[in-house]
Amino acid sequence: MTDQVRTRIAPSPTGAPHVGTAYMALFNLAFARKHGGRMVLRIEDTDQLRSTPESEEAILQALSWMGMKWDEGPDCGGEFGPYRQSERTALYQAEAQRLLEQGNAYPCFCSSERLDQVRKEQMANKETPRYDGHCLSLTPEEIEERKNQNEPWVVRLKVPAEGECRFTDELRGEISIEWTQIDHQVIQKSDGFPTYHLANVVDDHLMEISHVIRGEEWISSTPKHVLLYEYLGWTPPSFAHLPLLRNPDKSKLSKRKNPTSINYYQDAGFLPEAMLNYLGMMGYTLPDQREIFSLDELCETFEIKRVSLGGPIFDVEKLKWLNGRYLREKLSPEEVLQKLIDWKGGPDFFRKIIPLALPRLETFSDFFPISQFLLNESPVYPLEELAGKQEPVEVARILKVAEWELEKASTWDRDSLSSIFQNLAEKEGKKLKELLAPFFVCMTGSKVSLPLFDGMALLGADLTRTRIRKALQLLSENGAGLSKKGLKALEKEYRQSYGNRID
RNA sequence: GUCCCGUUCGUCUAGUCAGGUCAGGACACCGGGUUUUCAUCCCGGCAACAGGGGUUCGAAUCCCCUACGGGACGCCA
């Protein structure tokens, strides 16, 4: 055990790279650098169902794009590997076994149906929903027998029945939570994989993480982690819980209300340095209060105690202002040109547009107007244009279903988009042409444009999805959106004809 | 509902740890100047210590209560 500072960023590869991940990474990195330590990147892919290699790749790429480097990780190795939890299951199983043997954990055979039922009843009785201890009283013989019958089972953490858990948060001081508030968490699932709680404790210990700097959302499960450290006979790291990035309405940052994918900002033409700088001023100011600073400057002067705890609202307007300053003050016109070309202003991107535009061109001057929607952040159009001849509410319905379907797309190209919409038309009993009308408007701002699927493919998933959400927003601002009830009904209907949603 | 965390201009925040310019900067907004327009740039303005009790000569700063906001309560992380 060294006394070196070691921090970690532990993203779960279950979707688009989130700005919140970058935010946490930034502070972990700054803290590690400031103290001459190292930052580890660990992939938390213990959710077999939702984790994908594509997402992992996208996250690593997005963080790199933002200019962050980690000292150890699945891509660059390190002496504490492997850095992917799916490759460390034996480690977790051994510890789970140990906890079982020590009597700190117990097997549970309850079905998820029963669990749901119990939860429902507890909610109805206004109790805190938690495991009722059903399997706690199983005898060793019963356990043996049920295991032999191949009944699926999980491992649950035994939690003290009374007293309270105290731990210190570096930013908030001492926090205490009654043990009665803590659920008998599942620490190993029936597929043999650990849940976050176990994996995170085992890995943080084995990887010699000295400081756990993570989001505020984890405060309430910290007692489980503290308990695990105790049961396993390990010294816990110090904890610091950072505030969460918020939507303008103060709720936790979510893609419904704000673009959250790092790729969105990349595709929309933001500079990574400006993004990083902006995130660095969320809940934090440098000691001298300067507001334009580089990653290195942040790292050199970083003091974690300066983090302020009120949840900062992610304000795209201010981000844009900052980005503008970078463009004007940090780059020469020549550099701007080069970056513009690398973005979407060069032959690579134009080459993809030409075949689509060509049949519609008479002169060169036709090119830019017709391709404009591929280069701007989002088109503007009046509501009437979006609704067309259809009922606005019906349009909202279709957009929503499409949003969910698009969420599931694992590949993003002309053909896969085409089949998604073919399927949509079929299920909705509409002609493709009719179905597509509002999508032309929300993607391009016009009823007539380049072929839609090619356009969406070039736009990329993030810009496309955001345009759909913006259209939905426009609709609801004008009283034609889905009501809460309507949304719920739609969701149910959706599940029946399209299957489960994944986000 | 229960528990936990939080609360300075509309927004990001300084000041809080070592009480004593009733509060500084930035975005946005408004006004003025430079500019053939716009933008940039420059100048100016608007605007906040959530409320109530204490402690103190004195509180944004320390303590308590209330309110409000957020988070957590999954075989998700």
Side-chain angles (χ1 to χ4, degrees), chain A residues 29-201:
Chain A
L29 187 61
F31 185 81
R33 289 267 186 281
K34 165 72 184 188
H35 298 283
R38 292 159 76 83
M39 180 174 82
V40 174
L41 187 147
R42 179 174 74 220
I43 295 294
E44 308 231 324
D45 56 350
T46 54
D47 186 335
Q48 285 287 276
L49 241 70
R50 299 197 305 152
S51 297
T52 65
E54 290 78 19
S55 171
E56 175 185 321
E57 176 63 26
I59 290 168
L60 298 195
Q61 236 178 32
L63 293 177
S64 303
W65 173 74
M66 288 194 64
M68 290 188 275
K69 285 194 182 65
W70 41 95
D71 302 291
E72 300 166 27
D75 56 332
C76 57
E79 49 180 319
F80 295 89
Y83 292 93
R84 213 174 267 122
Q85 292 186 327
S86 57
E87 294 165 15
R88 302 168 64 84
T89 46
L91 258 18
Y92 314 123
Q93 278 164 0
E95 300 305 338
Q97 187 55 37
R98 186 149 76 88
L99 291 166
L100 243 20
E101 284 162 12
Q102 290 174 179
N104 297 321
Y106 60 95
C108 169
F109 296 88
C110 295
S111 65
S112 38
E113 290 74 30
R114 192 187 99 80
L115 262 18
D116 284 346
Q117 184 59 34
V118 171
R119 245 192 299 274
K120 236 181 184 167
E121 282 168 21
Q122 288 170 330
M123 291 284 225
N125 294 333
K126 304 196 169 175
E127 293 166 36
T128 304
R130 68 178 86 99
Y131 185 61
D132 62 356
H134 185 76
C135 290
L136 203 46
S137 54
L138 258 32
T139 64
E141 292 74 33
E142 282 175 300
I143 292 169
E144 204 47 42
E145 166 151 3
R146 293 177 77 163
K147 279 187 189 171
N148 286 339
Q149 304 211 309
N150 280 329
E151 264 192 64
W153 59 287
V154 302
V155 179
R156 277 185 191 277
L157 184 67
K158 227 183 250 180
V159 178
E162 51 182 37
E164 58 181 18
C165 174
R166 287 165 176 277
F167 61 93
T168 303
D169 179 286
E170 295 301 320
L171 300 172
R172 298 159 205 262
E174 189 164 277
I175 295 176
S176 59
I177 298 175
E178 304 266 340
W179 283 121
T180 52
Q181 292 299 322
I182 310 299
D183 200 7
H184 285 202
Q185 254 301 327
V186 171
I187 55 174
Q188 183 176 291
K189 313 176 210 179
S190 55
D191 64 3
F193 272 66
T195 58
Y196 170 84
H197 306 285
L198 211 216
N200 136 81
V201 165

Side-chain angles (χ1 to χ4, degrees), chain A residues 362-378:
Chain A
E362 289 176 320
T363 67
F364 293 146
S365 2
D366 298 330
F367 180 76
F368 286 98
I370 204 169
S371 317
Q372 198 196 55
F373 76 99
L374 294 168
L375 282 317
N376 61 18
E377 186 179 352
S378 62

Side-chain angles (χ1 to χ4, degrees), chain A residues 285-346:
Chain A
T285 38
L286 299 213
D288 66 2
Q289 286 200 66
R290 86 192 94 146
E291 36 186 7
I292 304 279
F293 51 83
S294 67
L295 176 58
D296 284 344
E297 289 174 299
L298 177 71
C299 292
E300 281 160 21
T301 59
F302 191 71
E303 290 170 33
I304 197 164
K305 296 271 190 202
R306 291 186 62 83
V307 170
S308 65
L309 301 176
I313 291 170
F314 190 88
D315 178 10
V316 183
E317 284 308 308
K318 190 156 182 176
L319 206 207
K320 284 185 180 174
W321 160 79
L322 192 65
N323 202 74
R325 282 194 64 173
Y326 268 80
L327 248 23
R328 270 173 259 119
E329 296 171 21
K330 295 284 180 186
L331 301 172
S332 66
E334 196 54 39
E335 288 170 318
V336 172
L337 172 63
Q338 193 51 53
K339 286 179 190 290
L340 182 64
I341 289 171
D342 294 342
W343 179 63
K344 290 174 188 173

